[in-house]
Amino acid sequence: MEIVAVPAFSDNYLWLVHDEASGETAVVDPGDAAPVLAEADRRGWRITQVWNTHWHPDHTGGNIAIKEAAGARISGPAAENIAGRDIALKEGDEVRLGSHVGRVIEVPGHTSGHIALIFDDERVAFVGDTLFAMGCGRLFEGTPEQMYRSLQRLAALPEDTRLYCAHEYTLANAQFAAHADPENLAIADRLERTKRLRDEGVITVPTTVAQERETNPFVRATDVGEFARLRKAKDSFRS
Ligand code: ZN
Ligand code: FE
């Protein structure tokens, strides 16, 4: 399974997922069609599936155009209004790309029906706007209880699981993490590495479960109360 980041807007990553054996290609959260279709074209890939994690336009804005251009089937959370959706996904459902199987888990918090796709054998998870490198999504529709549980479920995956999130927010998240947990040397170290990478314009995702357990204050929060305080503090934090 080959995974390629397609940058869009100011900080989104749209993920192209290709299976060589079957020739199938999926795109995760195509907020915009043009850059995705161009990248797939350059690689000689035809997009057969769209997988959406949640309804926000920066994740679904390209759905219809990709369906029309490539004939792709659109799978997205059952509990949300997803543009052009063909297949409604709930906890325990599966998506398939060739022989690769992704398991659907519901991870509400950022939106109320947000899902993540877990490819256990490949140690890959597409997590949308639920977990970011050193951070998490804002609580637009869900409660702190829901988001805390969603993050704990993702953090409980095997530690070498690669987490493909939908935004390049790592530097701002690292700055908040260093502020929230100033004694944590792993956070301080990751902040410095992230600064260097971003200065060079290097992408900082995917992250891994191991790194998030060590350096993500929202994952490290010991209870919902601590999580809620951190999320509130981050909403108004300016580095
Ligand atoms: Zn979103
Ligand atoms: Fe987003």
Side-chain angles (χ1 to χ4, degrees):
M1 203 163 93
E2 190 177 346
I3 304 174
V4 174
V6 180
F9 312 122
S10 58
D11 50 37
N12 282 72
Y13 292 127
L14 326 182
W15 298 106
L16 272 174
V17 189
H18 180 70
D19 173 56
E20 195 62 56
S22 63
E24 269 214 85
T25 303
V27 60
V28 183
D29 284 349
D32 194 4
V36 170
L37 292 169
E39 183 64 35
D41 205 50
R42 179 158 60 239
R43 291 170 179 270
W45 296 350
R46 190 174 71 87
I47 298 172
T48 49
Q49 299 188 57
V50 172
W51 299 333
N52 294 125
T53 63
H54 66 294
W55 67 268
H56 284 163
D58 65 312
H59 298 251
T60 57
N63 276 15
I64 300 295
I66 291 170
K67 189 177 195 166
E68 281 170 4
R73 262 180 308 136
I74 300 176
S75 301
E80 298 191 350
N81 192 2
I82 302 291
R85 187 185 58 206
D86 300 297
I87 299 164
L89 299 174
K90 295 192 305 294
E91 176 85 30
D93 287 347
E94 288 176 351
V95 293
R96 282 171 187 268
L97 191 77
S99 61
H100 304 284
V101 179
R103 155 169 87 77
V104 174
I105 67 169
E106 292 172 359
V107 285
H110 178 68
T111 60
S112 59
H114 200 300
I115 60 170
L117 302 174
I118 318 290
F119 291 82
D120 293 294
D121 292 347
E122 294 75 7
R123 293 279 201 272
V124 162
F126 295 101
V127 299
D129 286 358
T130 298
L131 186 150
F132 295 119
M134 304 186 82
C136 73
R138 282 179 187 260
L139 301 181
F140 286 120
E141 298 173 0
T143 64
E145 287 76 11
Q146 286 178 320
M147 187 56 130
Y148 184 66
R149 175 162 191 272
S150 296
L151 293 176
Q152 292 300 313
R153 288 188 77 185
L154 294 172
L157 293 169
E159 65 172 17
D160 58 347
T161 306
R162 282 170 293 154
L163 302 171
Y164 289 81
C165 48
H167 290 272
E168 177 65 62
Y169 287 160
T170 316
L171 182 55
N173 287 340
Q175 284 163 340
F176 174 75
H179 164 81
D181 191 358
E183 315 278 87
N184 185 319
L185 295 177
I187 288 177
D189 181 62
R190 196 173 178 190
L191 170 58
E192 288 315 308
R193 270 184 291 134
T194 301
K195 279 182 188 161
R196 284 199 300 275
L197 290 170
R198 294 310 297 152
D199 278 347
E200 295 160 16
V202 177
I203 177 171
T204 65
V205 290
T207 180
T208 62
V209 167
Q211 285 190 94
E212 296 313 302
R213 286 185 196 159
E214 262 198 321
T215 63
N216 187 321
F218 301 98
V219 165
R220 295 171 63 77
T222 51
D223 54 41
V224 177
E226 185 186 354
F227 169 79
R229 279 193 298 280
L230 283 167
R231 185 59 261 180
K232 206 158 181 240
K234 172 71 169 67
D235 287 344
S236 55
F237 179 73
R238 297 286 172 273
S239 58

